[in-house]
Amino acid sequence: MKSIATQSLELEQRKTGLLSQPKAVWAIAFACVISFMGLGLVDPILPAIAKQLHATKSQVSLLFTSYNLVTGIAMLITGVISSRIGIKKTLLTGIFLIIIFSALGGFSNTIAQIVGLRGGWGLGNALFIATALSAIVGLSTSGTAKAIILYEAALGLGISVGPLLGGELGSISWRGPFFGVAGLMLVAFIFIIFMLPSIPKPAKTSSLADPFKALSYPALLTLGITAFLYNFGFFTLMAYSPYVMELDEHGLGYVFFGWGILLAFTSVFVAPKLQKRFSVVKSICTVLTLFTVVLVIMGVGAYNHSPQTVIVCVIIAGIFLGINNTLITTAVMQAAPVERSVASAAYSFVRFLGGAVSPWLAGKLSEWYHAETPFYFGALMVFLGVVTLLVRRRHLTHVDKAEGH
């Protein structure tokens, strides 16, 4: 039985709208938009980096591999750090590291230098995004689901606008987006300093063992494995598709802008409706199956040397990725009886390992076999994610019950 206080709090949260948030939540959300703009800024310049630095696709893809690998591993320590120095200092530390390493990346002259610096960028990214998500959920007055929608909206807005700016800066020089990220994150740094009030440290500090203990809960492990497999498709789209679209920096910026707009729209307006009407497992399986189909069509487009097919599919994929992001993040927050920051760190650790392997492998598959091979392999891995979720769906029944299914 829930206490009267708990029931009253839940009722109040249901009444509070998505836009009725404390100043602290808006401060973090704004910083998230700028942070995710930084992610999208780099995408349009991948072919330019390969050409100007005389690198192969698999070598350039190591920019994603080092970034995601360090991000995933660093997720294990985000709770340890934030529980000891506090949320605000952790966010500022993460942003500061992104500023430094992205600026240094702009001064680099070799792929090896950029790959190494992207690893440092990933450390800052881990400290920022894990803390930002748990902080928004924890500080929100509208409940977990709406808080996550706000977070995903910030993600979608940042990712959609970032490529446009990246395309403009990248048309001047491939170094431009790196300096652009540093500048944007400096704005976020100042914003957090003045807009985010001091947040009390948690009464209990986290340990390095907490994320591993969290993964002992079958529901959280299931979602982590699903995301690990789904990331093979996601980063094939992000890191490899620019090479087969045959567009310049401006063109790639517009394509990923369209992708990001659909991602943001569906994460905010479509995902909640599916969440209310259908079970989480059924909804995630449906959108990932559709994403699988899109990847297969992209493979066919690459095989037939039809960049137009790949372009359309990249944009359409934003629909399914936006829905999936919101649904699976909401499920993670409810999957295990642990602190939200610990659940996020454990899940992200597993998820980003997939993001570390997949960009490099996509580039290698295209070099070893054919231009379409990475898309087919990505589709296979996403489909295996669907199978994993269906086979282990019994572990997620409590998540569906929490959503009223």
Side-chain angles (χ1 to χ4, degrees), residues 320-336:
F320 310 122
L321 298 178
I323 295 171
N324 180 73
N325 285 349
T326 297
L327 292 177
I328 202 165
T329 305
T330 304
V332 166
M333 293 293 104
Q334 301 168 343

Side-chain angles (χ1 to χ4, degrees), residues 10-300:
E10 290 180 352
L11 181 61
E12 184 64 29
Q13 287 178 337
R14 292 192 190 100
K15 292 179 179 178
T16 306
L18 175 65
L19 301 181
S20 302
Q21 303 291 349
K23 181 175 70 173
V25 171
W26 286 116
I28 299 171
F30 179 79
C32 285
V33 171
I34 297 178
S35 171
F36 293 125
M37 281 179 67
L39 293 178
L41 273 171
V42 182
D43 222 43
I45 61 171
L46 296 178
I49 291 176
K51 182 179 180 180
Q52 294 180 33
L53 296 184
H54 309 290
T56 64
K57 287 176 280 190
S58 59
Q59 287 175 326
V60 174
S61 69
L62 289 175
L63 271 69
F64 286 91
T65 294
S66 63
Y67 177 85
N68 288 328
L69 180 62
V70 175
T71 296
I73 295 174
M75 284 291 178
L76 299 174
I77 63 171
T78 54
V80 174
I81 294 174
S82 64
S83 65
R84 285 166 172 77
I85 69 174
I87 287 176
K88 185 171 183 177
K89 288 182 179 178
T90 304
L91 289 172
L92 290 174
T93 301
I95 293 173
F96 179 75
L97 290 173
I98 294 172
I99 292 171
I100 295 299
F101 286 104
S102 59
L104 290 174
F107 288 110
S108 300
N109 293 309
T110 68
I111 281 292
Q113 290 175 351
I114 302 175
V115 168
L117 292 168
R118 281 279 286 180
W121 188 340
L123 174 60
N125 179 62
L127 292 173
F128 178 79
I129 63 172
T131 308
L133 174 57
S134 61
I136 286 178
V137 173
L139 295 170
S140 174
T141 56
S142 58
T144 299
K146 290 181 180 177
I148 290 172
I149 291 171
L150 182 63
Y151 175 81
E152 294 295 340
L155 184 153
L157 181 61
I159 284 181
S160 62
V161 175
L164 281 181
L165 184 57
E168 293 298 323
L169 295 174
S171 65
I172 301 171
S173 168
W174 68 262
R175 301 175 189 273
F178 286 90
F179 295 129
V181 169
L184 286 172
M185 293 311 289
L186 180 60
V187 173
F189 187 86
I190 296 170
F191 201 79
I192 289 291
I193 286 178
F194 292 105
M195 293 295 291
L196 185 65
S198 296
I199 301 171
K201 299 176 187 177
K204 180 184 177 182
T205 57
S206 297
S207 71
L208 287 173
D210 287 347
F212 294 104
K213 291 178 181 177
L215 288 173
S216 67
Y217 291 96
L220 190 60
L221 181 61
T222 299
L223 293 170
I225 293 172
T226 300
F228 171 86
L229 295 167
Y230 138 78
N231 261 355
F232 278 82
F234 180 84
F235 280 101
T236 295
L237 183 147
M238 288 287 289
Y240 176 71
S241 66
Y243 295 105
V244 296
M245 285 191 275
E246 299 179 9
L247 297 172
D248 61 11
E249 291 85 355
H250 285 106
L252 290 173
Y254 286 120
V255 170
F256 280 102
F257 172 71
W259 171 79
I261 286 292
L262 288 180
L263 186 148
F265 178 83
T266 55
S267 65
V268 175
F269 298 105
V270 180
K273 295 183 183 300
L274 290 176
Q275 198 168 310
K276 288 180 180 179
R277 187 166 184 178
F278 305 103
S279 71
V280 172
V281 173
K282 184 182 294 185
S283 299
I284 294 175
C285 287
T286 300
V287 294
L288 288 185
T289 299
L290 292 171
F291 181 42
T292 300
V293 173
V294 169
L295 286 168
V296 171
I297 296 174
M298 291 172 74
V300 174

